[in-house]
Amino acid sequence: MRTKWLILLLTVCFCSYAQQENKSQMALTSAFGATNHKDFCYQFEISYHYMGHPFLGIGGGIGFCGILSDHLPAGYSENGIWTSWCLNKEYKYINQLYLRPSLIFRSPALTQIKGKYGLHFQAEPGIQLLIPYSSVKIDYIDDEAYINSERISSNKGNWCFWNIKSGIFIKNDDFSFGLGYIISNLDVYSNRRTMKIANSSFSEFYPKSKLVHNAFIYFGVSF
């Protein structure tokens, strides 16, 4: 009997909270950081979450992530047609689209600012899903003269990664602003490491990332 009353009480509290606050939240996140190999990385994301409770939301985002590095696969060959090959410089930097379903866990206001804004801690664990396909252009060279180019591709790399975003947020009923930290095991080199040219594997040129660390800026609108 007590369990039924407890469930009823929690349901009433949940509904009352849901009626007091805007339930939909759109946000834009910009993040910049580095991998464990000190390669510069970045991401931009627009997201939507349904806040069924002021402290709990479900939704996801679509974003664009990339990495700037000096890794440029190249090699030599003695096949009699060309003497060397090199990744086309337009593909030196890696950029990918992703989807990120996630949950929002928000604390009650830690303090009030001017009576209008609440200071909250917020955590947003999610799964980062990349497009499971990548292609690049390879330039073939005979001594110093360019001969031809070829496109190669792969879909054998990892494409699903975990991602946790957490930080401090200032919000009222309509707007929110946050600063924080993102940690993930995102590996944008994954597909490329499975590519091969002649007797050379791209895994020789691309390091395996362990963790990616980003600082982020967040701006959200509730409605």
Side-chain angles (χ1 to χ4, degrees):
M1 190 68 175
R2 292 180 180 179
T3 302
K4 292 182 179 179
W5 279 109
L6 179 60
I7 294 174
L8 179 61
L9 178 62
L10 291 174
T11 302
V12 171
C13 291
F14 183 93
C15 293
S16 63
Y17 275 127
Q19 291 172 358
Q20 293 172 9
E21 300 238 349
N22 294 326
K23 296 182 180 180
S24 294
Q25 180 172 289
M26 293 285 295
L28 178 65
T29 302
S30 299
F32 304 91
T35 68
N36 56 299
H37 296 281
K38 298 183 180 180
D39 294 329
F40 178 77
C41 55
Y42 55 89
Q43 67 182 53
F44 303 96
E45 178 181 300
I46 184 168
S47 60
Y48 169 84
H49 286 84
Y50 177 78
M51 304 299 295
H53 188 281
F55 308 142
L56 177 63
I58 185 170
I62 181 170
F64 177 82
C65 64
I67 193 164
L68 305 180
S69 70
D70 295 325
H71 307 300
L72 188 65
Y76 297 94
S77 177
E78 298 179 357
N79 64 358
I81 302 175
W82 40 269
T83 58
S84 63
W85 62 270
C86 181
L87 179 73
N88 187 284
K89 291 184 179 180
E90 293 182 3
Y91 295 84
K92 181 178 179 179
Y93 302 136
I94 302 176
N95 302 295
Q96 293 197 20
L97 292 173
Y98 67 84
L99 294 175
R100 184 177 177 271
S102 61
L103 297 172
I104 285 180
F105 298 97
R106 180 185 296 152
S107 73
L110 304 176
T111 186
Q112 293 289 331
I113 301 174
K114 295 184 178 181
K116 296 181 179 180
Y117 304 94
L119 183 66
H120 302 260
F121 174 80
Q122 182 171 301
E124 188 182 327
I127 300 174
Q128 203 160 357
L129 307 173
L130 304 185
I131 297 174
Y133 174 83
S134 180
S135 70
V136 299
K137 184 188 289 186
I138 302 298
D139 293 334
Y140 297 109
I141 303 167
D142 180 13
D143 293 328
E144 298 298 326
Y146 165 80
I147 294 180
N148 199 357
S149 64
E150 175 188 24
R151 184 174 293 276
I152 63 172
S153 62
S154 174
N155 60 358
K156 298 179 180 179
N158 295 331
W159 54 275
C160 180
F161 306 94
W162 57 263
N163 179 295
I164 300 175
K165 178 194 302 181
S166 59
I168 296 296
F169 291 75
I170 297 174
K171 73 177 297 294
N172 60 13
D173 291 340
D174 301 312
F175 302 101
S176 57
F177 175 79
L179 297 172
Y181 167 71
I182 300 173
I183 184 171
S184 75
N185 67 336
L186 175 66
D187 183 3
V188 295
Y189 298 128
S190 182
N191 264 328
R192 290 201 180 183
R193 279 199 302 271
T194 65
M195 298 179 182
K196 292 183 179 181
I197 288 291
N199 295 320
S200 299
S201 170
F202 279 25
S203 61
E204 302 173 19
F205 305 95
Y206 292 117
K208 187 171 183 179
S209 297
K210 295 180 180 179
L211 293 174
V212 176
H213 306 271
N214 286 303
F216 74 82
I217 299 175
Y218 171 105
F219 178 74
V221 178
S222 300
F223 55 94

